[in-house]
Amino acid sequence: HEDWFLDRDFRDHFNNEMFNGVEIDDTMIRIGAMNLQLHGIENPNLIKNDALSESAGHIRNKYSLILANPPFKGSLDYDAVENSILKIVKSKKTELLFLGLMLRMMKTGGRAAVIVPDGVLFGSKGAFVQIKSEIIEKNKLDAVISMPSGVFKPYAGVSTAVLLFTKTGTGGTDKVWFYDMEADGYSLNDNRTKIKEDDIPDILDRYHNLGDESDRARTDKSFLVPFDEIKANNWDLSINRYKEIIYEEIAYAAPSEIIKDIEIIDQERNQALAALKEMLG
């Protein structure tokens, strides 16, 4: 939309208000600011703060789009977390608290794309169920993209997924789109070298054409799962819960026939060995 930059109001919004970030670490703030300026954003709005704390509690119903890769496996005491987040999800786990934070920060109609560890998908108790039911039943979960475990190597090997959801406050989840990513264009070891296999173009194409996904079978890489089925499974979002695997039956010969074949191979081997000895005198 290069023509948008001809509009002065849009240019001012782009350079001063469009891009926002909350970060507790000074070094990350500096790196983020430099990165944004190198990409043409003159005055990025980066706030140094603990996003989960009371001091950031005034940031609510503000953003139209949130992209995040929040900390995993962290733990906070309840008194360190802003109260409205705990009303959404009563937990000490950072991967759950940040999902509650996003719902608080987004305006109605706002969208989020967030990376979560697999444990969030299949967690079946307490806060795991609480936050998933909040997103699915009271808002709108659009998609779950499962990623292979090596995508964050060499830094981490944990299996992850991307959740895409929209804040509505009134529900709206009808069918959730699942995709089983197997490759992202790089090897899944510590080297992460570029490879030919890459599901990302296919993911983008299918996500923008979800109307064509309704007839896809559960054996395919992507498929739709209705709201009622997810609710009946206690809000389980792990793709293996819904994906169907076709097992091919392989018929093997009887043991007696296999032994007979081995004896024939041994006989031929012995004959070849004898011929070789004779050739060598």
Side-chain angles (χ1 to χ4, degrees):
H1 298 284
E2 292 182 2
D3 56 313
W4 290 8
F5 289 90
L6 300 175
D7 182 271
R8 185 176 195 176
D9 291 340
F10 176 79
R11 284 201 313 274
D12 288 343
H13 177 65
F14 180 88
N15 285 316
N16 299 291
E17 298 177 2
M18 181 178 286
F19 300 96
N20 300 268
V22 183
E23 172 59 53
I24 196 170
D25 184 83
D26 286 328
T27 301
M28 291 299 105
I29 285 278
R30 289 195 295 270
I31 291 174
M34 181 59 71
N35 187 32
L36 288 166
Q37 288 171 359
L38 288 172
H39 285 83
I41 298 148
E42 295 174 2
N43 186 30
N45 184 27
L46 301 182
I47 305 164
K48 185 183 183 304
N49 205 340
D50 178 352
L52 295 171
S53 69
E54 290 284 354
S55 60
H58 64 285
I59 307 175
R60 56 183 67 218
N61 303 318
K62 183 173 183 179
Y63 302 119
S64 60
L65 178 65
I66 292 179
L67 307 175
N69 180 10
F72 302 159
K73 306 301 181 185
S75 180
L76 296 173
D77 292 333
Y78 290 137
D79 58 8
V81 181
E82 195 270 323
N83 190 53
S84 67
I85 300 174
L86 295 175
K87 289 181 179 178
I88 299 172
V89 53
K90 187 69 177 292
S91 176
K92 296 181 179 181
K93 296 180 179 294
T94 54
E95 61 265 37
L96 303 181
L97 292 170
F98 272 99
L99 290 172
L101 173 68
M102 291 169 206
L103 286 172
R104 191 199 74 194
M105 282 184 163
M106 283 190 293
K107 61 177 67 174
T108 301
R111 298 170 296 145
V114 54
I115 297 169
V116 297
D118 263 7
V120 173
L121 303 183
F122 59 74
S124 59
K125 294 181 180 179
F128 289 97
V129 172
Q130 183 186 8
I131 190 61
K132 286 187 288 187
S133 64
E134 181 77 24
I135 292 172
I136 302 168
E137 192 168 31
K138 298 182 181 179
N139 294 279
K140 183 177 183 293
L141 179 62
D142 300 300
V144 179
I145 302 170
S146 292
M147 298 191 291
S149 60
V151 294
F152 289 112
K153 285 189 174 180
Y155 310 106
V158 63
S159 295
T160 56
V162 182
L163 298 183
L164 294 98
F165 57 92
T166 304
K167 180 178 178 178
T168 65
T170 57
T173 303
D174 179 23
K175 294 181 179 180
V176 178
W177 185 66
F178 284 78
Y179 192 104
D180 188 10
M181 180 200 287
E182 296 176 345
D184 69 341
Y186 296 88
S187 63
L188 298 175
N189 54 27
D190 287 351
N191 295 328
R192 295 287 283 157
T193 53
K194 195 167 182 61
I195 60 173
K196 181 180 179 182
E197 293 76 17
D198 184 1
D199 288 330
I200 293 177
D202 186 52
I203 291 171
L204 294 173
D205 180 62
R206 292 187 183 281
Y207 183 72
H208 289 295
N209 295 279
L210 292 182
D212 299 333
E213 296 287 294
S214 56
D215 295 329
R216 290 179 70 81
R218 296 283 179 92
T219 53
D220 293 329
K221 270 193 173 184
S222 64
F223 49 83
L224 294 166
V225 177
F227 168 86
D228 290 339
E229 185 176 350
I230 295 173
K231 185 175 182 178
N233 280 301
N234 196 29
W235 313 111
D236 193 325
L237 295 176
S238 53
I239 195 167
N240 291 333
R241 168 69 71 173
Y242 308 103
K243 190 175 179 67
E244 296 177 2
I245 299 173
I246 298 176
Y247 295 97
E248 295 183 7
E249 184 178 354
I250 300 176
Y252 294 99
S256 57
E257 294 182 24
I258 295 173
I259 292 172
K260 188 181 293 183
D261 290 339
I262 292 172
E263 290 175 341
I264 292 172
I265 292 171
D266 278 345
Q267 185 179 358
E268 292 174 349
R269 181 179 60 81
N270 290 331
Q271 289 173 350
L273 188 59
L276 181 59
K277 287 180 179 179
E278 185 177 348
M279 288 171 58
L280 296 174

Coordinates of all heavy atoms in Angstrom, one line a residue, residues 24 33 48-49 64 76 83 178 186 190 218 230:
I24 N 10.8 -5.6 29.4 CA 11.4 -5.4 30.7 C 12.9 -5.2 30.6 O 13.5 -4.6 31.4 CB 11.0 -6.5 31.7 CG1 11.3 -6.0 33.1 CG2 11.7 -7.8 31.4 CD1 10.7 -6.9 34.2
A33 N 14.4 -1.1 19.1 CA 14.4 0.3 18.6 C 15.2 0.4 17.3 O 14.8 1.0 16.3 CB 14.8 1.3 19.7
K48 N 9.4 0.5 28.4 CA 10.2 -0.4 29.3 C 9.3 -0.6 30.6 O 9.1 0.3 31.4 CB 11.5 0.2 29.7 CG 12.4 -0.7 30.6 CD 13.6 -0.1 31.1 CE 14.5 -1.1 31.8 NZ 13.7 -1.7 33.0
N49 N 8.8 -1.8 30.7 CA 7.9 -2.2 31.8 C 7.8 -3.7 31.9 O 8.1 -4.4 30.9 CB 6.6 -1.5 31.6 CG 5.9 -1.3 32.9 OD1 6.2 -1.9 33.9 ND2 4.9 -0.4 32.9
S64 N -5.0 -3.3 17.8 CA -5.8 -4.0 16.8 C -5.1 -5.3 16.4 O -5.7 -6.2 15.8 CB -6.0 -3.1 15.6 OG -4.8 -2.7 15.0
L76 N 5.3 -16.9 38.2 CA 5.2 -15.7 38.9 C 4.3 -15.8 40.1 O 3.3 -16.6 40.0 CB 4.7 -14.5 38.1 CG 5.6 -14.1 36.9 CD1 4.9 -13.0 36.1 CD2 6.9 -13.5 37.4
N83 N -4.3 -7.6 38.4 CA -5.4 -8.3 38.9 C -6.4 -8.7 37.7 O -7.0 -9.8 37.8 CB -6.2 -7.5 39.9 CG -7.3 -8.3 40.6 OD1 -7.0 -9.4 41.1 ND2 -8.5 -7.8 40.6
F178 N -6.9 -26.3 11.7 CA -5.7 -26.9 12.2 C -4.8 -27.2 11.0 O -5.2 -27.6 9.9 CB -6.0 -28.3 12.9 CG -6.6 -28.1 14.2 CD1 -7.9 -27.8 14.4 CD2 -5.8 -28.3 15.4 CE1 -8.5 -27.7 15.7 CE2 -6.3 -28.1 16.7 CZ -7.7 -27.8 16.8
Y186 N 14.0 -24.8 6.8 CA 15.3 -25.0 7.4 C 15.4 -26.4 8.1 O 14.4 -26.9 8.6 CB 15.6 -23.9 8.4 CG 15.7 -22.5 7.7 CD1 14.6 -21.7 7.5 CD2 16.9 -22.0 7.3 CE1 14.6 -20.5 6.9 CE2 17.0 -20.8 6.7 CZ 15.8 -20.0 6.5 OH 15.9 -18.8 5.9
D190 N 20.5 -28.2 15.1 CA 21.2 -27.0 15.6 C 21.7 -26.1 14.5 O 21.8 -24.9 14.7 CB 22.3 -27.4 16.6 CG 21.8 -27.9 17.9 OD1 20.5 -27.8 18.1 OD2 22.6 -28.4 18.7
R218 N -9.5 -35.5 7.7 CA -8.7 -35.4 8.8 C -7.3 -36.1 8.6 O -6.5 -36.0 9.5 CB -9.4 -36.1 10.0 CG -10.7 -35.4 10.5 CD -10.5 -34.1 11.2 NE -11.7 -33.5 11.6 CZ -12.3 -33.7 12.7 NH1 -11.9 -34.5 13.6 NH2 -13.5 -33.0 13.0
I230 N -14.5 -29.7 19.8 CA -13.4 -29.2 20.7 C -13.9 -29.1 22.1 O -13.2 -29.4 23.1 CB -12.9 -27.8 20.2 CG1 -12.2 -28.0 18.8 CG2 -11.9 -27.2 21.2 CD1 -11.8 -26.8 18.1

